[in-house]
Amino acid sequence: APSADSLGASSFTPLFVGIGEAALLPAAMSMLAGYFSKENLGRGIAIFSCGALLGHGGAFMIGGAVLAWLTVKGGMTIPGLPAMEPWQALFFIAGISGLAIVLLTFSVKEPARTTKPVADWAGRGRALVEALGYMKSNGKGYAVQMNLQIAATSIGYMIAAWGVSVFVRGYGLTVPQGAAIMGGVTLVVGPLGNLLGGYLTDRAVARGVVGAPFVVIGGAMVVMLIAAGVFCLAPNLKVAIAGFVVLQFACLAPMAALFGSTQMLTPDRFRGLAAPVT
């Protein structure tokens, strides 16, 4: 059994992974809202989100293949570093490849802002208080957005956690077979649903639909409910896969609307602060 020390060490690195992920979204959403007009924001966010979708689907397929290769090799050894187990080597390879992408961020230019950034800590503290006050005064809109965000992302995480298990337990597939189907569907259908959701959001905004992002999200969630029932209760594998395709499509369609609605509700100077709160 692992010792308490080893458990503490194993949980330390994921802490920094979580910090990195939490820091990305507020900055990215604020920049996208600066680059794109309100009528084009949905498509801008959708294109940005496709990177995560392609990475998610590719991780199942490419990551599984790399792990199998590392398992055959018995892990990986790099001079000057301790010998790595196959799963450790997979994380190491993924981390090193991410560094190359980090370097590309230095070529990205800051979009034009309507307000100047606050440089001192006292000013940042006042800006935080002001942002929270603004969100409180517009609490109904943010509450609706937050609850929709919770519902939609919960469904997405449940699919990621249990999708393969449904294929295995309900339809007799092996774990690699279930993962291959899930990864392939996510890789192909995910970006399509995401782009369509961004397009529909922009069309609704351009036509002056009240609460346009929420309309798109609500429609997608109705489709999710029906597709989830088909996926879990299908009489055979083919129907289950069809249900999963629609479910994944509908689950990812509202992503641009979810992120975009926060930016549309929030003035330029508060966008980076509003994103992590909602």
Side-chain angles (χ1 to χ4, degrees):
S3 65
D5 289 341
S6 66
L7 286 173
S10 65
S11 62
F12 190 70
T13 299
L15 172 65
F16 283 94
V17 175
I19 291 173
E21 291 182 350
L24 168 65
L25 191 59
M29 291 300 108
S30 178
M31 291 185 69
L32 287 170
Y35 276 122
F36 294 92
S37 66
K38 185 179 293 187
E39 293 76 15
N40 296 314
L41 182 59
R43 279 169 285 186
I45 293 176
I47 294 171
F48 168 81
S49 301
C50 281
L53 298 175
L54 294 172
H56 181 69
F60 276 99
M61 303 177 73
I62 300 173
V66 173
L67 181 60
W69 174 70
L70 289 168
T71 301
V72 171
K73 289 189 61 177
M76 186 170 70
T77 302
I78 296 178
L81 295 176
M84 288 178 274
E85 296 293 331
W87 66 270
Q88 294 171 320
L90 181 61
F91 276 107
F92 180 82
I93 292 171
I96 290 297
S97 62
L99 289 176
I101 299 174
V102 169
L103 296 176
L104 293 176
T105 62
F106 292 98
S107 65
V108 179
K109 295 181 179 180
E110 178 75 7
R113 301 290 187 178
T114 58
T115 57
K116 293 182 179 180
V118 180
D120 61 287
W121 286 104
R124 291 170 185 169
R126 290 192 297 270
L128 176 60
V129 172
E130 190 179 351
L132 294 176
Y134 176 85
M135 295 179 68
K136 181 180 179 180
S137 64
N138 295 274
K140 290 184 179 179
Y142 284 106
V144 171
Q145 198 279 342
M146 187 178 296
N147 281 289
L148 288 172
Q149 182 82 274
I150 292 170
T153 53
S154 295
I155 294 171
Y157 280 118
M158 283 190 286
I159 293 172
W162 294 102
V164 174
S165 294
V166 172
F167 281 120
V168 172
R169 298 178 187 181
Y171 305 103
L173 300 183
T174 64
V175 171
Q177 288 173 333
I181 292 174
M182 188 169 171
V185 170
T186 302
L187 198 62
V188 176
V189 173
L192 295 176
N194 197 35
L195 292 171
L196 177 62
Y199 171 76
L200 292 176
T201 302
D202 288 344
R203 286 294 301 272
V205 170
R207 292 188 177 187
V209 176
V210 178
F214 299 151
V215 173
V216 174
I217 297 166
M221 294 189 74
V222 171
V223 177
M224 284 183 220
L225 182 62
I226 298 171
V230 174
F231 173 47
C232 295
L233 304 174
N236 56 62
L237 179 60
K238 289 183 179 180
V239 177
I241 292 175
F244 182 72
V245 168
V246 177
L247 175 60
Q248 194 73 313
F249 187 92
C251 181
L252 294 166
M255 288 299 104
L258 282 167
F259 294 131
S261 60
T262 300
Q263 304 305 312
M264 293 177 190
L265 285 168
T266 311
D268 186 8
R269 63 187 185 280
F270 300 147
R271 284 171 178 163
L273 294 170
V277 174
T278 55

